[in-house]
Amino acid sequence: MINYIFNSIQIYRRLRNPGVNDPNFPLIPGILHGSDPTKGIVSVDASSKVMVKTPWFEIQRELDRYHYGRNGSFENRVYALTVFPSEEASLDHHRTRQPKDRTTYKVDDEKNEIIAIPAPPLPTPPERTPVDGMENILVIPADLQMHPVGHSAYCLNFIRYHPNKPIKIPIRPINEEESPAIKRGGFLSIVNRFIECLVDAEAPIPEYIELECTGLRQKDVVRRERLLIPEGTSVHPRVPDDFLVGTVYGARGGSAATDDTDGGEEGEGGEEK
């Protein structure tokens, strides 16, 4: 048993960090699991769990775009996942098809002119066939584990997604310049940066839910009624009506006076005159 565990650790270590002379590229292990009623897949069935290996640079690219943690939305996005046989993996499939201009130039001393030498075409990726029934599966990244020292992806699972499945969508403030408190140097301290929603099958999944900030004043408590829910999307029933989004505070490093305070000071000054 100990030898089996040791060998497994060595295999996954080589999988994540191939050697210099190893033709393979870094792969991150994980599991595809979850139910999908539209396809008759039940999570309790052992066949619904599939071991997958995702290229490291594909995960890192999405982390750089949408980041992770409290403010990030990587683990709350829906991706179309296609699974291919491991023996058909090739780095050429992950190269960009529109690279930067790689044209080189040289000077012809006889004609006194610059000659452009076009770059050779990129290699054509070899043909590969998706695993039967594993093409364009809608999934949500889950259980992302980062290396404690290298801080790179160490393990990543995927949960199947289907319409009307609860999904957390990030909240994004808009029209902050229309808020008297924020215009005077105040700020909106957001408590819940995501809200759980249901999206219909025909509707696109919104990138974010807009939070209307028009008219916000200092010490205002922002709740669910200020969220602008797009058509085809609805808030999950388990989200309470008094769902707290955040609170408006005064200027950073000092106290910003409210409109009432300013008006009172001016009135007192007028009486003294």
Side-chain angles (χ1 to χ4, degrees):
M1 182 66 179
I2 296 177
N3 291 334
Y4 173 78
I5 296 175
F6 179 77
N7 293 334
S8 300
I9 293 174
Q10 294 298 322
I11 291 173
Y12 284 115
R13 183 176 297 172
R14 288 195 299 268
L15 187 70
R16 300 184 182 98
N17 302 291
V20 177
N21 299 322
D22 195 329
N24 298 322
F25 47 86
L27 296 172
I28 306 302
I31 300 176
L32 170 63
H33 61 99
S35 303
D36 189 352
T38 61
K39 297 181 180 179
I41 300 176
V42 184
S43 60
V44 295
D45 191 354
S47 61
S48 65
K49 299 174 177 60
V50 182
M51 297 290 295
V52 294
K53 296 176 289 187
T54 311
W56 169 84
F57 38 79
E58 297 285 356
I59 299 175
Q60 190 61 45
R61 180 195 62 198
E62 295 304 306
L63 287 176
D64 292 339
R65 293 176 62 187
Y66 302 108
H67 211 257
Y68 44 85
R70 185 183 180 192
N71 300 330
S73 59
F74 170 66
E75 293 192 65
N76 296 285
R77 300 184 63 84
V78 177
Y79 292 91
L81 179 69
T82 300
V83 181
F84 296 94
S86 57
E87 60 271 12
E88 296 184 7
S90 174
L91 188 61
D92 294 333
H93 290 286
H94 303 278
R95 298 185 190 276
T96 175
R97 295 294 97 192
Q98 296 179 350
K100 296 180 180 179
D101 185 14
R102 298 182 296 126
T103 305
T104 58
Y105 302 88
K106 74 173 185 178
V107 179
D108 190 339
D109 296 332
E110 296 180 357
K111 298 181 180 179
N112 195 22
E113 62 180 9
I114 299 177
I115 301 176
I117 304 176
L122 292 175
T124 303
E127 294 291 335
R128 60 178 181 174
T129 305
V131 177
D132 187 24
M134 304 292 289
E135 187 174 5
N136 292 330
I137 305 173
L138 297 181
V139 297
I140 302 176
D143 305 323
L144 173 65
Q145 298 180 22
M146 306 297 292
H147 192 278
V149 178
H151 204 63
S152 59
Y154 199 73
C155 180
L156 178 64
N157 299 333
F158 298 96
I159 300 177
R160 291 182 178 88
Y161 173 82
H162 56 83
N164 288 317
K165 181 184 180 71
I167 180 174
K168 291 184 178 180
I169 302 178
I171 297 173
R172 178 177 175 181
I174 61 171
N175 297 330
E176 295 177 281
E177 65 279 359
E178 301 297 329
S179 167
I182 298 178
K183 222 170 22 172
R184 293 186 177 188
F187 64 98
L188 173 62
S189 177
I190 298 181
V191 177
N192 292 305
R193 299 182 179 273
F194 298 86
I195 184 168
E196 199 169 20
C197 298
L198 302 174
V199 183
D200 297 340
E202 300 79 12
I205 301 175
E207 289 284 333
Y208 49 83
I209 300 296
E210 295 180 343
L211 172 64
E212 180 59 67
C213 296
T214 302
L216 284 179
R217 299 182 179 275
Q218 187 178 356
K219 298 183 180 180
D220 277 356
V221 178
V222 183
R223 299 194 182 276
R224 168 179 164 178
E225 62 270 7
R226 278 190 171 267
L227 296 176
L228 305 179
I229 308 299
E231 185 178 359
T233 303
S234 58
V235 179
H236 197 282
R238 63 173 162 235
V239 177
D241 294 335
D242 59 347
F243 177 77
L244 176 64
V245 179
T247 307
V248 181
Y249 291 100
R252 300 179 185 271
S255 58
T258 59
D259 293 343
D260 297 338
T261 305
D262 293 343
E265 291 178 353
E266 291 177 0
E268 292 175 358
E271 293 176 358
E272 291 177 357
K273 291 178 181 179

